Amino acid sequence: MTDTRTALVTGGTGGLGTATISAFLAAGWRVVAPARPGTADRLPAGAIAVDADLTDAAQVRAAAESAAGDQRAPLKAVVNLAGGYAGSGLIADTPVEEFEAMFTANLRPTYLTTAAALPHLVAAGGGSVICVSSRAAVSPFPGAAGYVTSKAAVLAFAETVAVEYKKQHVRCNTVLPSIIDTPANRAAQPDADVSRWVSPEEIAAVILFLASDASAPTSGARVPVYGAA
């Protein structure tokens, strides 16, 4: 059975992004994926690429309008995968610019994309927003205060969306990965036991569930996707 609905998926060129887009496409969704110019060829075949800088409010609004532009497949899901990681040492040794850069990478795209899409979700009778935080947001580790704090902010933002838009039938949930088994993470940690990491495909299945009607009663949830880590 296919779905005649649209998902707006950010961060679609990354390891988790390609797995998530592929899962939605396989389930019959129309998928619109904002991407920086020159990177659209890294998206799975079938995704509709829209050039956009996710830190630019006007470009994000245009991407949301594209996602909502097909009346045969209304916008029903927003998946906020865009983000980044940077370690910066202990707090007293971290320049404020590096601390704030993590909010630009992790919180700003999630805020702008969600804010731009919410009116379209409401107009379509409701829908689902899924955000990606991190286990570090609830179980911090030293040396990455900007990352940890910005991911905690994503969690707080998602829970605020869930509260504010409940009456408009818009749900918002957050997945919290541990270490995702991607080529980039394997390269960064060549001696790690990757059997304990969670695969992008496993997380993508959870995200697809949270976007589907099968999870209709669920909003404001913090969903751990830790694998064996």
Side-chain angles (χ1 to χ4, degrees):
M1 180 178 179
T2 59
D3 238 318
T4 54
R5 48 181 75 182
T6 295
L8 174 63
V9 181
T10 70
T13 61
L16 178 56
T18 55
T20 299
I21 289 175
S22 296
F24 274 81
L25 290 171
W29 289 65
R30 172 180 177 261
V31 178
V32 174
R36 289 186 179 276
T39 65
D41 59 343
R42 292 158 52 189
L43 295 169
I48 300 169
V50 178
D51 287 347
D53 175 352
L54 292 176
T55 66
D56 183 285
Q59 293 185 38
V60 173
R61 284 195 299 270
E65 289 170 2
S66 294
D70 188 342
Q71 294 183 354
R72 299 167 299 176
L75 180 62
K76 299 296 286 186
V78 176
V79 183
N80 291 299
L81 305 182
Y85 171 81
S88 53
L90 298 181
I91 291 170
D93 302 319
T94 300
V96 67
E97 293 81 8
E98 293 183 15
F99 181 81
E100 291 178 337
M102 284 286 90
F103 284 80
T104 300
N106 291 317
L107 182 60
R108 186 179 177 91
T110 294
Y111 173 81
L112 289 178
T113 303
T114 304
L118 278 168
H120 300 293
L121 293 172
V122 171
S128 178
V129 178
I130 300 100
C131 299
V132 175
S133 179
S134 168
R135 182 169 68 172
V138 295
S139 182
F141 57 84
Y147 174 78
V148 170
T149 309
S150 64
K151 284 298 191 179
V154 168
L155 191 57
F157 172 71
E159 292 174 356
T160 303
V161 173
V163 170
E164 288 193 353
Y165 285 85
K166 177 169 58 176
K167 292 182 179 179
Q168 290 94 329
H169 308 291
V170 175
R171 302 181 293 115
C172 189
N173 296 289
T174 311
V175 294
L176 288 75
S178 54
I179 302 176
I180 305 174
D181 188 3
T182 63
N185 284 337
R186 287 195 178 212
Q189 302 182 53
D191 299 324
D193 178 6
V194 299
S195 68
R196 297 174 60 86
W197 294 359
V198 60
S199 74
E201 291 75 18
E202 290 173 312
I203 301 174
V206 175
I207 291 171
L208 180 61
F209 169 73
L210 292 172
S212 73
D213 292 339
S215 63
T218 305
S219 190
R222 305 178 177 187
V223 183
V225 283
Y226 299 162

